[in-house]
Amino acid sequence: MAKKLVIKVTAGTDAPERCSQAFTVAAVAAASGVEVSLWLTGESAWFALPGRAAEFELPHAAPLPDLLDSVLATGRITLCTQCAARRDITEKDVIEGVRIAGAQVFVQESLADGVQALVY
């Protein structure tokens, strides 16, 4: 099993099951001691803002704020630069601990030795 996991989530409220799966896998991996880098792209970009995860609901799924906090506690969460710009989100707007970075950083993380990348 890879010791590092990069997860790119492209879905938000537009595809709630896919979104929840990505956050759940990220949180479980982080809780298992795997180094996790979760990338918020597309509609998931909104979850970089305070309070937005609390608005997400999916029956029989763990609360998104809990999953987000779990990943932030031991891993890294990155908001896509272009996705942020298209939504007028800046570094001063995001949850503490969330960084904004672009494709170059995503590619660099994904291609590093011992990394498994997943896209949801």
Side-chain angles (χ1 to χ4, degrees), residues 3-115:
K3 296 288 182 185
K4 298 177 185 174
L5 185 60
V6 176
I7 298 175
K8 183 179 203 179
V9 55
T10 62
T13 57
D14 58 326
E17 287 184 305
R18 190 162 27 111
C19 176
S20 180
Q21 289 170 359
F23 277 88
T24 299
V25 169
V28 168
S32 300
V34 175
E35 184 180 327
V36 174
S37 177
L38 179 65
W39 283 72
L40 305 178
T41 67
E43 285 303 298
S44 72
W46 295 113
F47 299 127
L49 297 175
R52 286 295 184 100
E55 298 171 6
F56 181 88
E57 291 185 20
L58 181 64
H60 309 292
L64 205 61
D66 294 349
L67 299 173
L68 188 67
D69 289 345
S70 178
V71 175
L72 273 173
T74 61
R76 169 177 282 153
I77 297 181
T78 305
L79 172 58
C80 162
T81 302
Q82 289 182 16
C83 301
R86 281 190 283 275
R87 291 160 178 81
D88 293 321
I89 300 171
T90 67
E91 287 186 5
K92 67 178 175 54
D93 299 320
V94 299
I95 298 166
E96 185 176 342
V98 173
R99 70 175 176 167
I100 297 177
Q104 179 184 3
V105 176
F106 176 78
V107 170
Q108 182 180 24
E109 283 187 10
S110 298
L111 295 179
D113 289 337
V115 173

